[in-house]
C-alpha cells in the first residue's frame, strides 16, 4: 500500500482527503480577503479551472468576518491561513472556515494554541500544521549542524503535531514546505514514515510561471511519485488559475488523476511546413476548459505525424497548406490549413 493510502481520512468541508481519496488540488487567493467581491470572483474562476480547496489569508478581523459572506457564494471548502494572531484563527472558525492552517510556533504561548485547538474541537474543524524552512526554530537548526535540514523540518512538524495531540485533538493535516527541492522531497519521505496524518505537499516560493512550473513538477514528481501526498498546491508568482492548470498536468502526467485534455505536440523540424507552433498554442487554449478525457496530438508533418499521433484519441498532422485529421491512428480526412483548428474542434465536440 502506498504511504498516502495509509493516512487517516480527514474531512475538509465537502471534500475528504487521505486514505484512498483522490489527491485534492488546492490554491490560494491573492486578493485582499476582506474584498469579498474580488475574492469570490477569483475563487469562482479557480473552481471553474478545477480547484478543489481554497485558502485565503486571514490577517485581521475584517478578513475573518468576510469568510461567512465568501463561503455563501462559493462551492469548495475554504481554509483560513493564520499567522501570529490566534484570535484570527478562532474568528475564522466562528465565521465558517472549513479548515485552518497555522504554525503553532508563531501562534504564541501554549495557552493560545490550546484556545485555537479547543475551538477547532468544538466545530470539528481540521487543523493544518504548517512548517516552512524559512521559519525553522533556531534550536533545530543548531541540532542538525547549523543548517536547515530535512530532519529539522520533520522534528519541527512532529513536535507541533504532538503538542496538539496532547491537547486531545487529532483532526490534523501536516505540511512541510521548502523551496529546496531535494530537501523538501527528503523531508516528506522521512515524515510520511512517521505519521498517520495526510500530507499537504508543495514546493514553496517556486517562482514565476515557467520556473515555478518546472520546480514544482520536479519536486512534486519526486514526492507524489514516492506515494506521498494527499493534497497539493503548486505555488506560482502569477494568476492562481495557472497553479491549477499546472497541478492538474502534474497529477495527470504522473497517472494520479484523469480528466481534461492532454495536448501532445511535436517539437517541429525541417519537415514542418505549417505554422505548428501557433497552431499547437491555439489548440491548447481552445481546449483548456474541456473536461473530456482526451489525448490530442498536434504534429508537424504527414510523414511521421500520423504514426507519432497513433497513441492519441484525435490529432492533426500538417502538410503543405493543408493537414490531416487523424482519429485513433486512422486518417479521416484532409483539411485546408486555415480550417484545421475548426475541423479539430468539430470532431472533438462529437467525441
Ligand atoms: S512530426 Fe514531422 S515535423 Fe514534427 S518533429 Fe516529427 S518529423 Fe518533424
Amino acid at each position: 500500500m502506498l504511504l498516502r493510502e495509509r493516512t487517516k481520512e480527514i474531512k475538509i468541508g465537502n471534500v475528504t482527503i487521505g486514505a484512498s481519496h483522490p489527491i485534492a488540488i488546492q490554491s490560494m487567493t491573492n486578493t485582499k480577503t476582506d474584498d469579498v467581491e474580488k475574492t469570490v470572483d477569483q475563487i469562482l474562476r479557480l473552481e471553474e479551472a478545477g480547484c478543489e480547496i481554497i485558502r485565503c489569508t486571514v490577517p485581521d478581523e475584517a478578513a475573518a468576518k468576510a469568510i461567512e459572506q465568501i463561503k455563501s457564494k462559493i462551492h469548495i471548502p475554504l481554509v483560513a491561513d493564520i499567522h501570529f494572531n490566534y484570535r484570527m484563527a478562532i474568528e475564522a472558525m466562528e465565521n465558517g472556515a472549513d479548515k485552518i492552517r497555522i504554525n503553532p510556533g508563531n501562534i504564541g504561548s501554549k495557552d493560545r494554541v490550546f484556545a485555537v485547538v479547543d475551538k477547532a474541537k468544538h466545530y470539528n474543524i481540521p487543523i493544518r500544521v504548517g512548517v516552512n524552512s524559512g521559519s525553522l526554530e533556531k534550536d533545530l537548526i543548531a541540532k542538525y549542524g547549523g543548517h536547515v535540514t530535512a530532519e529539522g523540518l520533520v522534528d519541527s512538524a512532529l513536535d507541533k503535531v504532538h503538542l496538539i495531540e496532547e491537547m486531545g485533538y487529532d483532526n490534523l493535516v501536516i505540511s512541510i514546505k521548502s523551496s529546496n527541492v531535494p530537501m523538501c522531497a527528503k523531508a516528506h519521505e522521512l515524515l510520511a514514515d512517521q505519521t498517520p496524518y495526510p500530507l499537504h505537499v508543495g514546493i514553496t516560493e517556486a517562482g514565476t510561471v515557467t520556473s515555478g512550473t518546472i520546480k514544482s513538477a520536479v519536486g512534486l514528481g519526486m514526492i507524489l511519485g514516492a506515494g506521498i501526498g494527499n493534497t497539493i498546491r503548486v505555488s506560482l508568482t502569477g494568476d492562481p488559475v495557472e497553479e491549477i492548470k499546472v497541478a492538474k498536468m502534474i497529477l495527470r502526467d504522473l497517472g494520479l488523476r484523469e480528466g481534461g485534455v492532454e495536448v501532445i505536440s511535436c517539437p517541429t523540424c525541417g519537415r514542418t511546413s505549417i505554422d505548428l507552433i501557433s497552431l499547437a498554442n491555439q489548440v491548447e487554449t481552445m481546449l483548456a476548459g474541456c473536461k473530456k478525457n482526451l489525448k490530442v496530438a498536434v504534429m508537424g508533418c504527414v510523414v511521421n505525424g500520423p504514426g507519432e499521433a497513433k497513441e492519441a484519441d484525435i490529432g492533426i498532422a500538417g502538410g503543405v497548406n493543408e493537414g490531416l485529421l487523424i482519429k485513433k491512428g486512422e486518417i479521416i480526412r484532409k483539411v485546408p490549413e486555415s480550417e484545421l483548428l475548426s475541423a479539430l474542434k468539430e470532431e472533438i465536440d462529437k467525441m
Side-chain angles (χ1 to χ4, degrees):
M1 192 190 268
L2 294 169
L3 287 165
R4 76 167 57 88
E5 292 171 357
R6 289 194 215 144
T7 56
K8 272 169 72 85
E9 277 189 355
I10 297 287
K11 208 167 173 312
I12 306 160
N14 57 9
V15 172
T16 305
I17 62 162
S20 56
H21 294 279
I23 297 165
I25 298 174
Q26 304 200 19
S27 185
M28 187 166 179
T29 51
N30 60 9
T31 54
K32 301 282 178 216
T33 305
D34 60 346
D35 187 334
V36 173
E37 200 184 322
K38 278 196 182 149
T39 303
V40 167
D41 275 358
Q42 191 171 70
I43 296 173
L44 295 179
R45 278 200 308 122
L46 286 160
E47 283 183 9
E48 178 62 28
C51 180
E52 293 157 320
I53 300 171
I54 189 68
R55 181 158 52 115
C56 300
T57 187
V58 180
D60 51 33
E61 210 153 302
K65 287 202 174 6
I67 290 176
E68 193 177 356
Q69 279 174 276
I70 296 168
K71 278 221 39 184
S72 70
K73 297 179 169 93
I74 65 170
H75 315 89
I76 54 176
L78 187 151
V79 183
D81 192 69
I82 311 293
H83 283 277
F84 308 112
N85 194 336
Y86 80 105
R87 284 199 191 88
M88 292 310 111
I90 290 172
E91 285 198 29
M93 288 186 270
E94 287 171 346
N95 281 287
D98 297 295
K99 176 178 155 197
I100 54 163
R101 185 268 179 197
I102 57 168
N103 177 348
N106 70 28
I107 282 286
S109 66
K110 218 170 165 179
D111 285 354
R112 290 180 173 185
V113 176
F114 185 80
V116 172
V117 171
D118 203 42
K119 188 60 79 175
K121 226 188 263 181
H122 176 75
Y123 290 113
N124 198 25
I125 289 173
I127 298 176
R128 162 147 74 96
V129 176
V131 172
N132 266 16
S133 59
S135 55
L136 186 64
E137 293 83 352
K138 287 195 179 79
D139 58 329
L140 290 174
I141 294 178
K143 181 178 171 188
Y144 292 104
H147 311 286
V148 175
T149 55
E151 290 79 1
L153 285 168
V154 171
D155 281 7
S156 176
L158 291 178
D159 283 352
K160 292 170 179 87
V161 164
H162 293 151
L163 176 75
I164 297 174
E165 284 175 335
E166 279 161 21
M167 294 174 179
Y169 203 51
D170 64 356
N171 191 2
L172 304 176
V173 177
I174 309 177
S175 66
I176 282 188
K177 294 208 182 165
S178 166
S179 59
N180 178 319
V181 169
M183 182 168 70
C184 199
K186 185 177 174 192
H188 282 89
E189 282 182 29
L190 293 173
L191 181 64
D193 265 342
Q194 298 178 59
T195 186
Y197 300 111
L199 301 185
H200 168 74
V201 301
I203 305 298
T204 197
E205 291 129 25
T208 56
V209 174
T210 303
S211 56
T213 296
I214 294 168
K215 204 167 192 178
S216 297
V218 173
L220 288 171
M222 290 168 82
I223 297 165
L224 297 171
I228 297 165
N230 305 87
T231 77
I232 64 166
R233 181 195 177 194
V234 170
S235 298
L236 298 176
T237 311
D239 184 339
V241 168
E242 295 302 317
E243 298 187 350
I244 303 303
K245 289 185 197 163
V246 174
K248 285 167 86 172
M249 284 185 211
I250 292 172
L251 290 177
R252 194 186 52 212
D253 289 345
L254 286 166
L256 293 169
R257 287 283 288 260
E258 284 194 341
V261 176
E262 179 183 2
V263 178
I264 57 167
S265 55
C266 81
T268 72
C269 72
R271 281 194 175 128
T272 320
S273 300
I274 58 166
D275 183 4
L276 192 83
I277 297 172
S278 151
L279 192 59
N281 281 307
Q282 288 178 65
V283 169
E284 207 166 75
T285 307
M286 176 177 86
L287 300 174
C290 179
K291 306 267 189 284
K292 291 179 182 172
N293 188 18
L294 289 177
K295 192 181 250 193
V296 178
V298 184
M299 311 304 283
C301 74
V302 293
V303 180
N304 288 332
E308 291 176 24
K310 254 190 193 141
E311 282 179 27
D313 298 294
I314 181 104
I316 47 185
V320 180
N321 301 323
E322 62 178 14
L324 302 175
L325 207 55
I326 304 152
K327 206 169 181 178
K328 304 265 185 208
E330 300 293 323
I331 297 170
I332 51 174
R333 64 190 158 107
K334 263 189 191 168
V335 182
E337 182 176 349
S338 59
E339 292 168 26
L340 267 175
L341 197 66
S342 53
L344 179 68
K345 169 96 172 58
E346 209 176 287
E347 284 302 321
I348 289 175
D349 286 346
K350 287 190 225 155
M351 295 175 90

